[in-house]
Amino acid sequence: MALVINFDRVGEEATIKKNMRNNDNKEEIISQLRPSIFANMPPFINFQAPKQRYENFIPLDIPWNLWTVISNPLLIRCMTRAGFRMKMITDVSYSNLTGAIWDSIDSKTRFLMFLKITKSPIEAARLLAGVANSKDLLKMNKEVKINRLPGFTSICRKDELARNHKIYRKKFGENEFNFVPETYALPENRSKLLQCMTRAQIPEAPNIREIPGMNKPTQWIVKPTNQARGE
């Protein structure tokens, strides 16, 4: 048996790989602002990818309003490179804030932050109820950008998403709403889950995965409903 190698091709591939490495080390120059697609609207900030940098960087010093300390290094790097500076929120109202608001805390943390500011459990509970109805967004500065929109909890929470998906699947049919796997919320759906898991059990058999036509055991994923961790 003979092995024939085209050294010309090997050299060509080595050159291509070298050029790719050189291109990977080059930074792409981008503008700091990009125009809006809408008429009579101010430009938007052009966020940088890891291999990008601004052609002419201007320190914008835009407040990045936070309820709690951010520990995500990628997020911090992305925001600070774009010209934002971290600023802790010290007021229960968004009406006096400018810049960007990072609103990504759960209800328990929000209540504790309200309690810390107001020193009143009753007032903190009242403010929390207002947030649930998105009343805190009604008096925001028009120039503020916020990452929370009214009604998004119904699709951001895993249990709410599954519940709404079942409602729409029943209303519009399974052909249109078949993109969420079978989901049960605990503890209210515990009995239905146990029935489904019992039906899905496979009889014991040696080397079950090697038996032709035998389905593999059903796998279930358990996730928290509202922790925004992707775990």
Side-chain angles (χ1 to χ4, degrees):
M1 180 179 294
L3 181 64
V4 180
I5 302 175
N6 187 333
F7 282 95
D8 291 337
R9 182 59 183 166
V10 172
E12 180 183 342
E13 291 178 353
T15 302
I16 293 173
K17 290 180 180 179
K18 181 179 180 181
N19 292 335
M20 290 177 63
R21 286 195 299 268
N22 291 336
N23 290 334
D24 288 341
N25 293 329
K26 291 182 179 179
E27 287 187 330
E28 179 185 359
I29 307 301
I30 63 173
S31 60
Q32 190 171 359
L33 300 177
R34 61 180 176 87
S36 172
I37 61 174
F38 303 102
N40 303 318
M41 293 294 293
F44 287 80
I45 295 175
N46 215 357
F47 287 92
Q48 302 175 72
K51 297 281 184 169
Q52 293 178 336
R53 68 178 179 86
Y54 294 136
E55 182 177 9
N56 296 304
F57 177 70
I58 301 174
L60 301 176
D61 200 34
I62 303 174
W64 179 22
N65 299 282
L66 305 167
W67 280 106
T68 57
V69 177
I70 295 291
S71 58
N72 187 325
L74 181 62
L75 178 60
I76 294 174
R77 185 172 183 269
C78 179
M79 294 295 287
T80 54
R81 288 183 71 199
F84 289 86
R85 59 176 173 83
M86 288 187 282
K87 180 182 178 183
M88 303 309 297
I89 297 175
T90 58
D91 194 348
V92 295
S93 173
Y94 286 159
S95 59
N96 296 321
L97 298 181
T98 59
I101 301 175
W102 190 255
D103 191 310
S104 59
I105 55 176
D106 55 46
S107 298
K108 180 179 179 180
T109 305
R110 194 185 301 275
F111 175 80
L112 293 175
M113 298 304 296
F114 284 156
L115 181 61
K116 180 180 178 180
I117 296 173
T118 63
K119 312 297 183 185
S120 169
I122 297 177
E123 181 65 12
R126 186 189 69 81
L127 292 169
L128 188 63
V131 172
N133 297 323
S134 300
K135 292 182 179 180
D136 58 330
L137 305 180
L138 299 178
K139 297 181 180 180
M140 272 199 322
N141 188 319
K142 293 182 179 181
E143 301 296 327
V144 161
K145 306 296 182 185
I146 188 169
N147 66 321
R148 176 169 65 89
L149 297 175
F152 264 42
T153 303
S154 61
I155 62 174
C156 290
R157 283 181 57 114
K158 302 174 186 68
D159 54 343
E160 291 290 340
L161 173 62
R163 188 176 294 111
N164 285 309
H165 181 268
K166 288 182 179 179
I167 293 173
Y168 279 92
R169 184 174 59 186
K170 183 177 181 180
K171 183 176 181 179
F172 297 106
E174 294 185 3
N175 290 334
E176 297 294 333
F177 286 85
N178 61 351
F179 50 86
V180 173
E182 189 173 18
T183 306
Y184 297 91
L186 298 177
E188 58 264 33
N189 299 142
R190 184 176 184 275
S191 59
K192 293 182 178 180
L193 173 61
L194 290 176
Q195 293 176 6
C196 182
M197 294 179 72
T198 302
R199 290 197 307 268
Q201 284 183 351
I202 298 177
E204 294 183 2
N207 301 322
I208 191 171
R209 295 190 178 185
E210 299 179 4
I211 299 177
M214 179 66 74
N215 293 327
K216 295 181 180 180
T218 304
Q219 294 183 347
W220 295 86
I221 301 174
V222 181
K223 299 174 71 69
T225 59
N226 189 31
Q227 289 191 4
R229 293 178 178 271
E231 297 176 351

